[in-house]
Amino acid sequence: MRIVRSVADLRDFVGQARRAGCTVGLVPTMGALHAGHLSLIAASTERGHAHVTIVSSFVNPRQFGDAGDLAAYPATEAEDVEMAEDAGAQVLFVPAVDEVYPAGFATEVRVSGDLTSRLEGAHRGAEHFHGVTTVVTKLLSMVQPDVAFFGAKDAQQALVVQRLVTDLNLPVEICVRPTVREPDGLAMSSRNVRLSAEERARAAAIPAALSAAAAAAFSGERDVATIVAAATAKLAAAGLTPEYLTVVDPETLRDRTALDGRSLLAVAVPVGPVRLLDNLVLEPSVAPSAAHQTLAHGPIEEG
Ligand code: AMP
């Protein structure tokens, strides 16, 4: 596997791969790789021998509102190289900040409206998503992949990226893959390493809250306030208070008051020094065992 740090070298590699008749998959990450990232890499490598997989690792300063969170973001390049290579990637693209944003950089790509102003946008500021869409546009433009892989764990981000690609007619398929979880259900996240043992134990209440909501939905409950209360109670029992715990339309992110159709339960919870995100698609007709299955292995695949 090659470690590439410049856009010029990246373009050389992609040019050679294309001339050899290969298709190209991109897995954008912020590094500190874990099994969630590896599942995205696997989804790309599964596309066969005539397909190369490029993993980008870039902690994008433009999507961090909180300088402390940026400074504390884990950096594990040596381990990332090993993991990406073992997972079958051909390139790890690790650009420096000034390779991505050279002097004079003055362009921003924005998706406006509910998709970026609600949920994470309401709490972190819409600038967070403007940072995401700017860097994703740049990465898609640098690599020009046939397909790019994103995690359902960041459901809003995946929706925003899909909107960006549709609106700008970018010639790339966006593939959204299920959330990979720890044995106790906690969604894998690079930020989990910052939790103390006690905080890590309490964080298990987050998937328990999602399960409680799924069980309530399956038992026939349609009132969103009641479902949210069941989930909130699980968090409260672990001493956790969500920043938001909301049931929304999974396409528009507008609030739902009743579970009339497929809905997205999205949650952000501060635990110790970090904010943890999780979500679950609530399908009123899905039995609790299947809902737990969903929690153990991630929401139903979307792409
Ligand atoms: P990050 O490095 O956290 O920016 O994540 C890079 C990509 O991996 C994003 O598309 C995330 O949604 C995805 N991802 C992060 N955590 C998980 C997980 N637990 N399961 C699946 N995908 C994930």
Side-chain angles (χ1 to χ4, degrees):
M1 191 188 65
R2 294 185 203 189
I3 301 164
V4 169
R5 298 191 191 273
S6 74
V7 177
D9 289 349
L10 179 71
R11 286 241 155 101
D12 273 356
F13 176 87
V14 173
Q16 281 173 30
R18 290 235 175 262
R19 283 192 293 281
C22 291
T23 52
V24 178
L26 171 66
V27 179
T29 81
M30 297 201 297
L33 299 185
H34 52 65
H37 299 119
L38 298 187
S39 76
L40 302 183
I41 299 173
S44 180
T45 61
E46 274 162 19
R47 298 211 169 197
H49 292 303
H51 181 81
V52 299
T53 299
I54 298 176
V55 179
S56 63
S57 170
F58 179 61
V59 181
N60 175 31
R62 289 180 180 241
Q63 71 188 68
F64 282 79
D66 175 352
D69 189 32
L70 174 61
Y73 202 82
T76 58
E77 186 178 312
E79 290 90 334
D80 291 354
V81 170
E82 238 174 74
M83 290 171 82
E85 181 158 33
D86 288 351
Q90 278 75 22
V91 169
L92 184 66
F93 177 49
V94 197
V97 172
D98 59 4
E99 182 71 8
V100 177
Y101 302 117
F105 186 86
T107 301
E108 189 173 66
V109 181
R110 294 181 169 209
V111 170
S112 53
D114 284 342
L115 293 190
T116 54
S117 65
R118 297 183 52 79
L119 304 178
E120 285 299 285
H123 289 266
R124 298 180 73 171
E127 299 74 31
H128 162 67
F129 285 116
H130 302 155
V132 169
T133 45
T134 300
V135 82
V136 168
T137 305
K138 283 188 61 89
L139 289 167
L140 293 176
S141 167
M142 289 167 183
V143 177
Q144 300 184 8
D146 299 277
V147 52
F149 297 86
F150 291 85
K153 165 163 179 292
D154 299 287
Q156 186 174 10
Q157 172 174 277
L159 212 53
V160 169
V161 168
Q162 184 59 70
R163 184 80 258 157
L164 165 81
V165 162
T166 302
D167 288 357
L168 296 185
N169 305 102
L170 300 180
V172 60
E173 174 196 346
I174 299 300
C175 182
V176 181
R177 303 288 303 176
T179 301
V180 175
R181 298 175 179 280
E182 301 284 359
D184 67 357
L186 181 66
M188 292 204 177
S189 163
S190 304
R191 291 183 173 91
N192 290 352
V193 297
R194 296 184 57 204
L195 299 170
S196 69
E198 184 267 340
E199 289 158 353
R200 171 64 188 80
R202 285 197 292 134
I206 301 171
L210 298 184
S211 290
F218 181 71
S219 72
E221 186 56 63
R222 292 289 172 271
D223 178 45
V224 161
T226 307
I227 291 168
V228 165
T232 308
K234 288 281 181 199
L235 294 178
L240 299 177
T241 308
E243 254 180 34
Y244 61 82
L245 193 159
T246 321
V247 176
V248 296
D249 178 302
E251 307 301 326
T252 64
L253 301 184
R254 295 208 189 102
D255 286 335
R256 281 209 200 284
T257 54
L259 264 202
D260 38 16
R262 202 165 171 266
S263 302
L264 179 73
L265 171 62
V267 61
V269 189
V271 184
V274 294
R275 285 172 87 243
L276 298 179
L277 300 191
D278 207 341
N279 67 78
L280 181 67
V281 173
L282 290 175
E283 307 259 13
S285 56
V286 175
S289 61
H292 283 93
Q293 181 90 349
T294 300
L295 262 188
H297 301 291
I300 287 123
E301 195 172 327
E302 288 171 22

